[in-house]
Amino acid sequence: MAGEAKVWTEGLNFFYGASQALHDINIKIPPHKVTAFIGPSGCGKSTFLRCLNRMNETIVGTRIEGKVFIEGHDIYDRSVDVVDIRRRIGMVFQKSNPFPKSIFDNVAYGLRIGGLKDKNKLAEVVEKALIDAALWDEVRDRLQESAMGLSGGQQQRLCIARALAVEPEVLLMDEPASALDPIATQRIEELIHQLKEKYTIIIVTHNMQQAARVSDITAFFYLGRLIEVDDTERIFTRPKLKQTEDYITGRFG
Amino acid sequence: MKKQTVETLGFNLFRLGSVFVVLILGAILFDIFYKGIGAISWEFLTAEPRMGMTEGGIFPAIVGTLYITLITALFSVPLGMFAAIYLNEYARQGKITRIIRLSIRNLSGVPSIVYGLFGVALFVRVLHLGTSILSAGLTLGLLTLPWTITASEEALKTVPKSYRDGALALGATKWQAIRTNVLPYAIPGMLTGTILGLARAAGETAPILFTGVAFFLPFLPDSPLSQFMALPYHLYVLATQHHDVEKVMPLAYGTALVLIAFVVGLNLAAVIIRYHFRKKRG
């Protein structure tokens, strides 16, 4: 884990009302790598992911302590515009959530709300994003059709294209393949592999084989704490802590 | 009893209930249609009442009802929608918003005569709007606000949170997310509920009684501050206040038929809007 971190946290605590969901998380996430968060359900991995683009703020009664840095800037600092943060840090949700608009309008959404009106430029970026999300060949002839008519796997790749179109620096993926069949899952995993050249990717998964396949670094969460983080290969072959070993060998969780 | 017997019994009981409801409604509509259709003519729809309301038509009442419904819509539709958007999207959900919601629900149960009295106090007296189309329309607007707000909030609630989150995660501001990704899908439902509220208001008598409706006017209102005639009150007058009730009874039924047609027309508009948008949404 050499080199500089793209994203890191210091003493991050997170609360849903009175119950503490995250305890003192300190992690460094390097650029242009895939970092996977694993752990049993309710361990806080998704909650932590949503701290990284301030999406937890949309949930009433939540509170955060500590710091989250992106390239050295604290994203929870008062002077920071949350809209700017979410533009720089894209997110793909567990359940694909295409908007009930055309395929084109879905991908163009982020650009349009950003103020881009030039039709040629829009078409250019939409095409590029769809190519990057490995969806272009399947939808190039029906860009004006509703996104709701796509298959589950296509919808999720559309959501990835939509996130890529605004050219984020970091891409957060919250169990992006959990609702997909094995073939669609494989396509998403291949896509993640390609995307890390351009983006820093953080993926939450409950599927350990998936973490082993797609990630360079793996972080193991348990009961709201970050237990161990290391190169994926090391985590899965010779973890330092017994807790981690128990989890990845299927002894609990 | 055997399970199947209970099942059959329950099924028939429910069926009986719905048949009964439809029958009553059908009987009322049939009665009004049967007794009223004879009065309907071009003259009835386009002429003023004559000869102590025993002849002529109900044109001023139709125009008056249209005017106050318009004022009601202009007042309560935007206000109700704004309030619903604030309550559902912006307000911090907690004890205070719960109390506000409860108050709004209770307001929809307040008898309409109470709104009438309040309308007199506020619009006629304090704001010096006099007994007028404006006073009556605004009073009916207050009456429909609880419906408009509740229906609009329900419509906003049907839009999945994932549409909002998806937009926010792409860097949309809250208002951008609402405007581009919530309202387009909520507005059909908002309009439908609102129009139903308007249709109800159009048929109200008590709130306009003190705030501007006139027993008889030989001319059409010429400004929002004029008095007016209205279908529900005209019906009330013909049916109970006229010196020759027997003679004008067909006219009363004709008026009732026109009023029902107006309300059904509004409801139909609501259905068409909903259907149109649903098809568009695909």
Side-chain angles (χ1 to χ4, degrees):
Chain A
M1 278 186 67
E4 278 187 28
K6 175 85 180 173
V7 179
W8 71 95
T9 66
E10 285 176 8
L12 190 92
N13 293 313
F14 188 81
F15 304 83
Y16 289 108
S19 77
Q20 189 166 359
L22 294 174
H23 300 261
D24 191 28
I25 309 287
N26 298 284
I27 190 171
K28 288 188 167 68
I29 291 162
H32 299 286
K33 298 260 168 113
V34 178
T35 303
F37 296 169
I38 61 168
S41 298
C43 68
K45 54 195 191 300
S46 284
T47 299
F48 180 60
L49 190 77
R50 292 167 60 94
C51 286
L52 301 181
N53 67 341
R54 291 178 61 173
M55 276 306 281
N56 281 328
E57 285 173 20
T58 66
I59 301 169
V60 179
T62 57
R63 188 163 56 86
I64 191 165
E65 290 170 355
K67 289 188 160 76
V68 178
F69 294 96
I70 309 279
E71 292 198 325
H73 298 287
D74 181 4
I75 66 167
Y76 283 90
D77 191 87
R78 275 172 156 228
S79 64
V80 169
D81 184 3
V82 63
V83 166
D84 185 47
I85 289 301
R86 295 197 185 126
R87 190 155 298 220
R88 289 172 58 196
I89 303 170
M91 183 164 209
V92 176
F93 295 83
Q94 178 173 1
K95 197 164 166 283
S96 65
N97 60 342
F99 306 142
K101 307 176 191 290
S102 73
I103 293 169
F104 186 92
D105 288 347
N106 261 279
V107 183
Y109 185 86
L111 301 163
R112 285 199 174 122
I113 56 169
L116 184 63
K117 289 204 178 70
D118 183 346
K119 281 203 177 124
N120 296 328
K121 179 77 181 156
L122 275 174
E124 193 183 302
V125 180
V126 167
E127 178 177 342
K128 192 167 163 292
L130 284 168
I131 290 171
D132 283 351
L135 190 61
W136 175 250
D137 291 335
E138 290 157 64
V139 301
R140 60 191 304 172
D141 299 323
R142 46 173 176 149
L143 292 176
Q144 295 310 321
E145 285 174 30
S146 171
M148 308 311 265
L150 296 173
S151 73
Q154 287 173 327
Q155 286 189 2
Q156 193 60 298
R157 274 180 283 145
L158 180 74
C159 292
I160 293 172
R162 193 172 67 189
L164 297 181
V166 293
E167 299 186 322
E169 300 162 39
V170 181
L171 192 58
L172 309 177
M173 304 177 114
D174 190 357
E175 302 194 22
S178 66
L180 303 180
D181 63 59
I183 293 167
T185 301
Q186 194 190 347
R187 299 211 57 171
I188 300 276
E189 288 181 6
E190 285 164 7
L191 181 57
I192 291 170
H193 199 72
Q194 291 160 20
L195 289 175
K196 73 174 177 183
E197 283 183 22
K198 287 192 203 164
Y199 306 93
T200 301
I201 295 177
I202 307 174
I203 177 173
V204 164
T205 176
H206 62 253
N207 178 334
M208 277 180 286
Q209 286 75 32
Q210 183 171 66
R213 282 193 301 264
V214 303
S215 72
D216 304 299
I217 292 151
T218 296
F220 171 56
F221 287 79
Y222 186 60
L223 296 176
R225 288 172 205 280
L226 175 60
I227 304 298
E228 187 171 351
V229 54
D230 211 331
D231 290 340
T232 296
E233 204 206 326
R234 195 166 304 163
I235 285 275
F236 281 94
T237 51
R238 42 200 153 85
K240 290 194 194 77
L241 297 174
K242 179 150 191 318
Q243 247 179 327
T244 314
E245 192 183 341
D246 286 349
Y247 182 69
I248 58 163
T249 53
R251 247 166 267 169
F252 80 93
Chain B
M1 254 192 289
K2 271 167 67 180
K3 240 196 269 175
Q4 284 87 343
T5 321
V6 177
E7 178 76 14
T8 315
L9 208 69
F11 174 69
N12 282 310
L13 199 69
F14 297 140
R15 185 159 62 179
L16 200 69
S18 58
V19 166
F20 195 63
V21 169
V22 171
L23 270 184
I24 292 177
L25 199 67
I28 295 173
L29 285 177
F30 179 78
D31 184 54
I32 292 173
F33 189 81
Y34 184 72
K35 292 178 180 161
I37 191 73
I40 304 288
S41 66
W42 183 246
E43 196 206 0
F44 185 70
L45 296 175
T46 56
E48 283 96 51
R50 277 181 283 111
M51 308 294 283
M53 300 192 223
T54 56
E55 282 178 32
I58 56 167
F59 187 57
I62 295 175
V63 170
T65 289
L66 281 177
Y67 280 169
I68 50 169
T69 307
L70 186 71
I71 299 282
T72 306
L74 288 178
F75 174 65
S76 78
V77 173
L79 206 60
M81 285 186 179
F82 292 167
I85 291 169
Y86 177 75
L87 276 178
N88 199 60
E89 307 290 333
Y90 286 96
R92 255 192 67 180
Q93 306 300 316
K95 210 179 230 169
I96 295 176
T97 39
R98 267 210 302 281
I99 291 172
I100 292 176
R101 274 204 191 91
L102 195 69
S103 311
I104 292 171
R105 294 262 154 78
N106 282 333
L107 275 180
S108 65
V110 169
S112 56
I113 188 89
V114 177
Y115 280 98
L117 287 173
F118 183 75
V120 173
L122 180 65
F123 300 122
V124 179
R125 300 265 167 76
V126 175
L127 297 178
H128 297 293
L129 297 175
T131 47
S132 62
I133 292 178
L134 206 53
S135 293
L138 293 175
T139 305
L140 287 178
L142 290 182
L143 179 92
T144 50
L145 263 182
W147 267 278
T148 314
I149 296 172
T150 309
S152 300
E153 257 210 283
E154 293 305 319
L156 287 169
K157 285 203 172 79
T158 63
V159 180
K161 186 169 186 291
S162 66
Y163 292 6
R164 296 174 178 82
D165 283 355
L168 292 176
L170 288 167
T173 62
K174 193 156 190 172
W175 170 237
Q176 278 178 325
I178 292 170
R179 184 170 56 80
T180 61
N181 237 7
V182 178
L183 288 185
Y185 313 116
I187 276 183
M190 289 170 125
L191 282 181
T192 314
T194 301
I195 292 174
L196 294 180
L198 286 181
R200 221 212 106 171
E204 280 289 348
T205 315
I208 60 176
L209 193 59
F210 312 132
T211 52
V213 78
F215 187 84
F216 173 72
L217 288 174
F219 43 80
L220 293 179
D222 56 4
S223 93
L225 293 174
S226 310
Q227 285 197 299
F228 59 95
M229 292 180 75
L231 289 169
Y233 185 62
H234 190 60
L235 174 58
Y236 169 73
V237 166
L238 289 179
T240 63
Q241 306 294 298
H242 200 272
H243 59 84
D244 194 354
V245 168
E246 284 305 313
K247 194 172 176 195
V248 295
M249 206 39 99
L251 295 182
Y253 271 103
T255 308
L257 189 56
V258 172
L259 179 58
I260 285 182
F262 182 69
V263 170
V264 168
L266 278 177
N267 289 352
L268 215 59
V271 172
I272 290 169
I273 287 174
R274 196 166 39 190
Y275 179 76
H276 175 78
F277 276 95
R278 192 176 293 161
K279 222 170 66 176
K280 218 170 100 180
R281 187 169 168 178

